[in-house]
Amino acid sequence: MGAIRDQDTHLCHRCGVTNPTVRERGRIDLMTRFCEACWNVFANEMAATDGATAPPRPNPDPDDVSWIDPPTCPRCGAFVCAYPTTYDRWVSLATVEMPAKDVPEPFRWRLMKLPDLSRVTTDIVAVRVRGIDPLPGEPVVPAHRMMCGPDRQEL
């Protein structure tokens, strides 16, 4: 039985091709097994749908002890927080939480702490709120594009 399962380890769930780049992808519960090309198509589609188009944070030099200011929005000048998503793309979020009733559904995000094997939080990822609507007073983090972008006029 184990020998049969071993044959599936390099099979992409999207294109069905056996490829050495196939591995479990995603940050939470390892979403599925994709090859590199299929994963990029899938993640880019998710990012376009969710508005996760922010550039990743730069990796600071471990020897540099200077203060790192949060990035600012080039359009409005406000501070933004860039977080990785569960599908390895980055999203710019507002710096404050708001009640869910004040944030339209397409702009609702939550921050989820990812523990390491030692149960110490090592990373935080942004997760889009979908499926089950939060209670009206439940806090969510709005996407920054809701606060300053052209979508703001449509609200």
Side-chain angles (χ1 to χ4, degrees):
M1 182 89 164
I4 294 172
R5 273 195 68 72
D6 289 344
Q7 293 174 356
D8 292 341
T9 58
H10 295 292
L11 182 68
C12 178
H13 289 173
R14 187 171 181 143
C15 66
V17 175
T18 302
N19 190 322
T21 64
V22 173
R23 64 179 176 86
E24 291 183 341
R25 309 286 178 152
R27 290 179 166 237
I28 299 175
D29 295 334
L30 300 174
M31 299 165 88
T32 188
R33 288 186 171 277
F34 282 156
C35 64
E36 190 70 30
C38 289
W39 173 251
N40 284 327
V41 169
F42 173 77
N44 290 339
E45 288 172 358
M46 290 284 293
T49 301
D50 292 344
T53 57
R57 290 185 301 230
N59 287 332
D61 181 13
D63 295 331
D64 187 8
V65 294
S66 61
W67 183 258
I68 299 175
D69 288 325
T72 57
C73 175
R75 226 181 313 176
C76 69
F79 288 125
V80 295
C81 294
Y83 289 100
T85 62
T86 56
Y87 44 88
D88 295 330
R89 299 301 184 261
W90 291 74
V91 62
S92 293
L93 300 180
T95 57
V96 296
E97 289 184 334
M98 296 174 67
K101 66 180 178 179
D102 296 337
V103 180
E105 187 272 327
F107 303 106
R108 295 177 185 162
W109 291 81
R110 285 206 175 99
L111 299 178
M112 182 174 186
K113 297 177 182 177
L114 295 181
D116 197 3
L117 294 176
S118 65
R119 295 186 186 213
V120 174
T121 300
T122 57
D123 202 3
I124 296 175
V125 295
V127 180
R128 260 292 304 285
V129 177
R130 347 179 124 92
I132 300 173
D133 288 334
L135 296 173
E138 198 170 341
V140 294
V141 181
H144 178 72
R145 65 189 177 111
M146 181 196 102
M147 308 299 263
C148 85
D151 297 326
R152 182 72 176 160
Q153 287 111 22
E154 296 172 8
L155 299 178

